[in-house]
Amino acid sequence: MSQQQSAAPAPAIVTVARRRDWWRDAVIYQVYPRSFADSNGDGMGDLEGVRARLPYLRDLGVDAVWLSPFYASPQADAGYDVADYRAVDPMFGNLLDADALIRDAHGLGLRIIVDLVPNHSSDQHEWFKRALTEGPGSPSRDRYHFRPGKGESGELPPNDWESIFGGPAWTRVADGEWYLHLFAPEQPDFNWEHPAVGDEFRSILRFWLDMGVDGFRIDVAHGLVKAEGLPDLGGGDQLKLLGNDVMPFFDQDGVHEIYRQWRHVLDEYAENEWGPEGPSAEGRWWATGGRIFVAEAWTPTVERTANYVRPDELHQAFNFQYLSTDWDAKELRTVIDRTLEAMRPVGAPATWVLSNHDVTRHATRFANPPGLGTQIRTAGDRALGLRRARAATLLMLALPGSVYIYQGEELGLPDVVDLPDEVRQDPAYFRGAGQDGFRDGCRVPIPWTREGSSYGFGSGGSWLPQPADWGELSVQAQTGAAGSTLELYRTALDIRRAQPDLGAGDAVEWLRAPEGVLAFRRGEFVCVANTTGESVTTPAYGRVLLGSGEVTEADGGTKVPADTTVWFTTA
């Protein structure tokens, strides 16, 4: 008997749990607004475009939507340089559009998480412009890191720190002082030792909470506090973020007091009421739930990541150790075990993620040889990459905790690695050293239809060119198509919601398996992931719920093809 994407039918009514800890097993979908959907034909995605596509996300089966920044910004770093944290950039719409999006999402049973950028502002932020105008020694300069330079006339930077985007982490202004920016010069770092900075961000939190958002993703959550005195790095490799050392500008212990203060603010808004109890017209339950914080915290170890999610701090932290792991059973088991062990003492859920707006999509990473990292410039074997990506998705969705999906991965999109130099817009690409600067490849607008100038993204083309073959990867092409990646995701999320042993939890029971194969049990559910290039035969653990590839029964067991994950139920 052949099995591929077989599954029990989805329940007629999908229940959104009425509990404050919904985030412990949530599936959260990242929307990169400029690349999701364009409502006005200007080639750039916007909030109204996201709003129009919310039913698609509801039908996909996710619980919440995380929106990358849409604030007023000069766009020196795609919106991560914020000029006004309480305004929507006109390219994305306005505050009324944001309000309507939040309301519509709640009406569909979806929660909204917005990006918050507290490490730095834009150089066009009113505070920074005032600091430049008022000059050295002014109170306004204390809100950022201004310092005199070294050398006979202050012509050298205050220390040896380098920008993540390449070059010195300091820029000199006309009066001779220097200011710190761990990223682009247009992104000056806030000085979180100044009380006005903390007061301002607590006010910003309340502004968006009052509008009804369900949580915040905290950008560069590990970077707010710098080591006292801003000491020299002393020749260390500051870009080796997954090494064993804590950098003087990253993961300082002082960040945790900031998040304890923020937690008090969030807990004032513990319940977010969406509407009357009972099923909505769309067949989902209206819901209430606690608001959450999610940390983007690049730390040396998963154990240090756990510090950010202690009971009085944040709720979740991205699992970059897992994202950075190759498609290898031994390595995957190690990081899964370490993650679950690290989160258990602090009572936080593990999170699992394979792609985001800053790394090469996993369909392309897995198409290339292991060990190349998360920024890859070659397409590799696309068929192999997609097969492994599908298998990795089922493995991820079977693990205990919460899952993050980056827009377009449900379509099996690869990175666009052959963009011409003249169309690239990643600021790191133009700065030489530092990050590779190839993030544009994962930010190309996603395809919705088989045809059209931008495959349904919008009527006016797209801000980054889409490949000619993306029509067949579109939502339209894959909807209802047996074996498509989109239908695999839809079926997997239906099963995940329906299976009581999936989702929340803090442990797996590992089963004996051939080399290169992961097998674990969670109650009546069993997951088997074959990371090898050969078919393997495993015990018949029960009825096949779903396979990322074609699965057959043979000799009383189950034949699992190369690079394939299978879900079983013993019920």
Side-chain angles (χ1 to χ4, degrees):
M1 180 179 67
S2 175
Q3 299 275 354
Q4 185 176 24
Q5 294 188 208
S6 59
I13 294 178
V14 179
T15 302
V16 177
R18 291 181 59 87
R19 68 179 201 273
R20 293 186 61 199
D21 62 350
W22 59 271
W23 40 273
R24 288 188 173 275
D25 58 3
V27 177
I28 300 173
Y29 186 98
Q30 180 189 358
V31 166
Y32 193 67
R34 62 173 53 210
S35 299
F36 192 67
D38 171 20
S39 71
N40 60 9
D42 66 355
M44 189 70 66
D46 47 46
L47 294 184
E48 186 60 30
V50 177
R51 182 186 176 198
R53 298 292 187 176
L54 287 174
Y56 165 78
L57 298 178
R58 182 271 316 275
D59 295 341
L60 182 62
V62 302
D63 300 292
V65 179
W66 153 34
L67 297 168
S68 291
F70 50 80
Y71 307 110
S73 166
Q75 304 297 320
D77 185 24
Y80 283 94
D81 51 316
V82 181
D84 187 343
Y85 291 85
R86 297 178 182 83
V88 174
D89 194 279
M91 71 187 301
F92 296 122
N94 55 46
L95 282 174
L96 291 177
D97 295 323
D99 181 70
L101 191 159
I102 294 167
R103 291 175 182 272
D104 282 8
H106 288 172
L108 293 170
L110 296 168
R111 297 173 172 91
I112 294 293
I113 297 169
V114 298
D115 228 310
L116 188 65
V117 188
N119 178 71
H120 48 262
S121 73
S122 165
D123 62 353
Q124 298 304 303
H125 190 286
E126 186 60 35
W127 279 12
F128 191 76
K129 291 194 294 185
R130 192 185 312 162
L132 293 182
T133 300
E134 295 180 359
S138 66
S140 295
R141 290 215 169 176
D142 289 341
R143 296 174 179 178
Y144 295 90
H145 294 279
F146 278 88
R147 295 289 188 277
K150 293 181 178 179
E152 291 185 8
S153 58
E155 72 278 7
L156 300 176
N159 67 21
D160 64 358
W161 296 0
E162 293 185 0
S163 164
I164 302 303
F165 288 167
W170 296 89
T171 290
R172 198 177 192 187
V173 300
D175 55 45
E177 284 201 326
W178 298 72
Y179 68 87
L180 176 68
H181 53 86
L182 292 181
F183 296 88
E186 297 88 350
Q187 296 168 288
D189 280 40
F190 284 116
N191 175 16
W192 274 87
E193 299 297 323
H194 196 293
V197 177
D199 291 344
E200 172 68 356
F201 273 90
R202 287 190 293 273
S203 174
I204 292 168
L205 291 176
R206 290 190 170 93
F207 177 87
W208 290 102
L209 289 167
D210 288 340
M211 190 173 284
V213 302
D214 301 282
F216 300 88
R217 177 262 191 187
I218 305 170
D219 184 61
V220 197
H222 55 300
L224 277 57
V225 173
K226 281 65 174 176
E228 185 176 358
L230 308 183
D232 281 340
L233 193 61
D237 182 2
Q238 70 180 51
L239 296 180
K240 193 175 180 182
L241 300 181
L242 299 180
N244 295 319
D245 296 325
V246 176
M247 298 295 112
F249 40 79
F250 282 158
D251 196 30
Q252 295 292 305
D253 290 339
V255 299
H256 300 290
E257 179 55 33
I258 295 170
Y259 299 137
R260 281 188 282 270
Q261 294 176 16
W262 285 16
R263 184 61 178 266
H264 287 305
V265 173
L266 203 70
D267 287 347
E268 296 173 11
Y269 295 80
E271 295 296 327
N272 198 1
E273 298 289 343
W274 293 1
E277 189 172 356
S280 72
E282 289 79 17
R284 289 174 68 98
W285 291 96
W286 296 73
T288 63
R291 322 288 184 96
I292 69 165
F293 285 121
V294 183
E296 183 212 27
W298 287 89
T299 64
T301 65
V302 69
E303 289 79 13
R304 285 197 67 88
T305 301
N307 291 337
Y308 290 78
V309 289
R310 289 175 286 201
D312 60 344
E313 293 188 43
L314 310 178
H315 299 77
Q316 293 182 348
F318 289 142
N319 191 340
F320 291 117
Q321 284 78 14
Y322 186 77
L323 182 150
S324 304
T325 302
D326 290 321
W327 180 240
D328 176 89
K330 183 177 180 180
E331 293 181 22
L332 286 164
R333 177 165 176 173
T334 297
V335 74
I336 290 168
D337 283 342
R338 286 192 65 180
T339 297
L340 295 174
E341 289 169 5
M343 296 300 146
R344 199 172 294 124
V346 295
T351 65
W352 314 100
V353 61
L354 292 168
S355 291
N356 64 34
H357 65 291
D358 280 334
V359 301
T360 300
R361 288 181 178 275
H362 61 282
T364 296
R365 294 204 314 275
F366 294 153
N368 282 275
L372 298 182
T374 59
Q375 291 282 348
I376 296 175
R377 306 180 186 182
T378 59
D381 184 336
R382 283 184 56 173
L384 174 64
L386 179 58
R387 186 166 69 247
R388 289 176 170 176
R390 289 161 58 97
T393 293
L394 290 197
L395 172 61
M396 175 179 70
L397 289 172
L399 294 170
S402 185
V403 170
Y404 282 79
I405 295 172
Y406 178 50
Q407 65 177 46
E409 72 174 71
E410 77 276 16
L411 305 177
L413 295 185
D415 242 53
V416 182
V417 298
D418 56 353
L419 287 170
D421 291 353
E422 62 268 19
V423 305
R424 292 188 178 277
Q425 299 192 34
D426 183 352
Y429 180 77
F430 302 98
R431 300 184 190 281
Q435 288 187 351
D436 288 337
F438 281 79
R439 297 178 298 175
D440 290 319
C442 64
R443 299 175 178 183
V444 174
I446 67 174
W448 294 93
T449 59
R450 278 193 171 96
E451 299 177 348
S453 64
S454 63
Y455 303 110
F457 169 69
S459 61
S462 62
W463 67 283
L464 284 171
Q466 299 157 301
D469 61 353
W470 269 25
E472 291 309 306
L473 296 177
S474 67
V475 173
Q476 181 184 52
Q478 295 197 44
T479 295
S484 74
T485 302
L486 176 57
E487 293 301 336
L488 175 71
Y489 270 72
R490 286 172 171 165
T491 303
L493 293 179
D494 280 345
I495 294 174
R496 193 176 191 272
R497 190 183 295 273
Q499 286 286 319
D501 292 317
L502 288 178
D506 64 3
V508 299
E509 176 191 350
W510 292 107
L511 305 174
R512 294 185 62 182
E515 185 176 356
V517 177
L518 293 173
F520 60 84
R521 183 190 308 275
R522 299 186 62 202
E524 296 177 338
F525 172 87
V526 174
C527 176
V528 175
N530 177 12
T531 71
T532 74
E534 305 290 337
S535 295
V536 297
T537 299
T538 69
Y541 290 105
R543 177 169 58 90
V544 173
L545 287 171
L546 185 62
S548 65
E550 189 170 317
V551 181
T552 57
E553 294 179 357
D555 300 325
T558 301
K559 187 175 182 180
V560 181
D563 299 307
T564 298
T565 297
V566 188
W567 289 359
F568 300 88
T569 179
T570 61

